[in-house]
Amino acid sequence: MRVVLGVGGGIAAYKSALLLRLFTEAGHSVQVIPTEASTRFVGIATWEALSGHPVSTSVFDAVDTVNHVRLGHEADLIVVAPATADLLARAAAGLASDLLTNTLLMARGPVFFAPAMHTEMWNHPATQANVATLRARGAIVMEPASGRLTGKDSGPGRLPEPEDIFAAALAAAAEAGADKADQAAAPYSGRLAGKTVTVTAGGTREPLDPVRFLGNRSSGKQGAAIAEAALAAGAQVRLIAAHMEVPVPAGVELVQVETALELRKAVHAAAASTDVLVMAAAVADFRPGENAETKIKKRDDGADPVITLVRNPDILQETVQRRAESGTGPALIVGFAAETGDGSASVLEYGRRKLERKGCDLLVLNQVGRSLVFGQDTTEVRILSPLDGPGTEPAAVAGSKAEIARHILDRIAEELDAALPSV
Ligand code: CTP
């Protein structure tokens, strides 16, 4: 595992040297990130010698490696010990005032705090509120041990023993790794904080008359799972929902639509104010040319009614084109494709052709056929990008729709990060 060990400015910082040893001796790679204040207790040289990695407190060192983004992203586990009252407050407020707090904001894996401070500071309502905030976001905050503190005082506030922190942090990491679906639902992560994600989901219904429509089998499960994963990653989420057979996730801004043309209007309206557009909806390619005002009745002469279909606009392709023409629109447009493959081309070939035709930034390719995707809970996807080298075959990822959603969101976050200026 790649472990980040954050060290706060308390006298108990020396105990973290033992904690570091426990991790390295168990075969984990540890990157220590001390706060500036903590280096008054244990110096950088100690951490570098014990961890075997360069150590810095500042975002302005090793700027070329974008440390403030990379360390949090790469860490499988972040352990902060000792977590002082000040550090808990900065983490709860989401401040990014040094390398450690930047790393906490970029975390994707479990985040674990082992507090150490005087009893009065621990019991203070401000600290307790900060602890509650962090826990509500999915971080694990250990209870401090009780016993002798720095001065003559004693009581709750002592840093738990390194062996106890080590065991509890490993258990938290195992639990987080063991249940990926839960991770998707509640990661301690702000990696899409401040971003707006618009997701289209469900199947459009194209009316024939006041009581009949042409529809499709889309359940909206994948779109709903993507909206949930985007919420969990801290994004503001707008869900443009056609017909769905699953509940709309709580916390999204809902735009309800019925037809492809309504969905198109909603996407156009959202395009200017969204960072990411994920087109997971099953949009009908055709609609009845006429929507009869009154119910179509059986005819007395026995003649069968003829329904003429007309093409619906390709909303995905159109949105990509509008962005190119206007220079504004979502930074990232993600399309979906469900393909079966046939004698003339494979699923992957059809996927590549569709990506080129639609012009989107990523295409989530689903293989459909014998094991139907519609309405099922598990699926397998590959994510294609126009930047894939020739002959590359992106890895297929299988899992529940929640796991696939997290995989897609991870890729979206990576693409957005890559588009950032490098500091
Ligand atoms: N899509 C769209 N507007 C349409 C049809 C599809 O925006 N009128 C979007 C879907 O939301 C999806 C992607 O395009 O993200 C691919 O949909 P798909 O139906 O597989 O593509 P088609 O262009 O209809 O291709 P095919 O010829 O395979 O039906």
Side-chain angles (χ1 to χ4, degrees):
M1 256 191 331
R2 278 178 292 198
V3 179
V4 163
L5 176 59
V7 183
I11 192 93
Y14 75 93
K15 285 194 187 173
S16 282
L18 302 172
L19 181 59
L20 167 58
R21 262 286 153 81
L22 290 170
F23 277 111
T24 53
E25 278 172 13
H28 303 294
S29 162
V30 183
Q31 174 67 56
V32 182
I33 311 183
T35 62
E36 191 58 41
S38 80
T39 61
R40 294 181 172 225
F41 298 97
V42 179
I44 283 182
T46 303
W47 299 124
E48 290 190 332
L50 289 177
S51 71
H53 294 293
V55 168
S56 160
T57 60
S58 159
V59 291
F60 297 109
D61 294 331
V63 167
D64 57 327
T65 65
V66 204
N67 255 351
H68 69 295
V69 170
R70 189 177 55 81
L71 296 173
H73 259 193
E74 288 180 358
D76 301 303
L77 169 68
I78 300 182
V79 181
V80 182
T84 57
D86 176 71
L87 197 44
L88 290 173
R90 288 194 287 139
L95 294 183
S97 40
D98 58 10
L99 185 57
L100 179 54
T101 44
N102 270 268
T103 302
L104 290 172
L105 286 178
M106 296 305 298
R108 297 174 177 212
V111 177
F112 193 96
F113 293 93
M117 63 198 75
H118 289 280
T119 306
E120 292 81 350
M121 295 169 96
W122 173 250
N123 286 337
H124 194 283
T127 305
Q128 288 302 311
N130 291 331
V131 168
T133 300
L134 292 166
R135 285 179 176 158
R137 286 186 203 140
I140 297 139
V141 185
M142 267 183 114
E143 285 299 313
S146 234
R148 177 82 193 269
L149 301 173
T150 313
K152 289 192 176 131
D153 49 344
S154 73
R158 221 174 118 90
L159 185 73
E161 290 311 309
E163 291 78 7
D164 295 337
I165 301 174
F166 177 66
L170 280 191
E175 193 176 315
D179 192 344
K180 291 192 181 119
D182 279 0
Q183 261 186 37
Y188 177 83
S189 165
R191 67 192 193 282
L192 287 179
K195 302 283 181 207
T196 303
V197 175
T198 300
V199 183
T200 68
T204 63
R205 288 178 162 185
E206 311 296 323
L208 277 161
D209 68 15
V211 293
R212 303 186 182 93
F213 59 83
L214 294 181
N216 60 62
R217 292 190 196 277
S218 171
S219 62
K221 271 185 190 162
Q222 187 65 80
I226 290 169
E228 262 178 40
L231 282 171
Q236 230 181 311
V237 182
R238 190 182 291 130
L239 183 70
I240 302 177
H243 175 72
M244 313 249 304
E245 275 162 24
V246 293
V248 168
V252 301
E253 178 196 327
L254 178 67
V255 182
Q256 192 87 54
V257 297
E258 176 135 342
T259 65
L261 293 180
E262 286 172 16
L263 191 132
R264 176 201 206 192
K265 210 168 146 193
V267 168
H268 287 178
S273 60
T274 195
D275 298 290
V276 181
L277 171 67
V278 183
M279 285 291 297
V283 184
D285 286 323
F286 304 95
R287 66 179 183 277
E290 245 181 274
N291 176 8
E293 271 181 33
T294 52
K295 191 179 168 197
I296 302 169
K297 303 291 282 179
K298 287 185 283 295
R299 284 173 46 164
D300 292 340
D301 63 7
D304 293 328
V306 176
I307 298 166
T308 311
L309 297 178
V310 296
R311 280 286 286 271
N312 272 329
D314 187 320
I315 301 161
L316 176 58
Q317 198 172 37
E318 226 181 45
T319 312
V320 171
Q321 268 164 11
R322 285 165 67 104
R323 178 180 66 176
E325 284 158 16
S326 68
T328 59
L332 201 68
I333 301 179
V334 184
F336 273 70
E339 302 288 347
T340 57
D342 57 28
S344 65
S346 67
V347 170
L348 194 58
E349 277 159 358
Y350 276 125
R352 290 231 172 276
R353 285 182 207 171
K354 192 164 284 180
L355 174 66
E356 203 180 327
R357 197 170 69 239
K358 304 248 180 187
C360 49
D361 307 307
L362 293 175
L363 187 88
V364 181
L365 176 62
N366 252 309
Q367 175 158 5
V368 289
R370 271 162 298 167
S371 63
L372 275 174
V373 168
F374 298 108
Q376 299 255 325
D377 284 323
T378 59
T379 184
E380 184 180 282
V381 301
R382 292 170 202 268
I383 301 181
L384 312 189
S385 151
L387 305 177
D388 293 339
T392 48
E393 201 166 306
V397 174
S400 68
K401 290 196 172 171
E403 286 165 337
I404 297 292
R406 181 176 163 82
H407 174 62
I408 295 168
L409 260 296
D410 277 348
R411 179 64 183 266
I412 287 173
E414 273 165 30
E415 297 284 332
L416 290 179
D417 287 347
L420 286 174
S422 63
V423 178

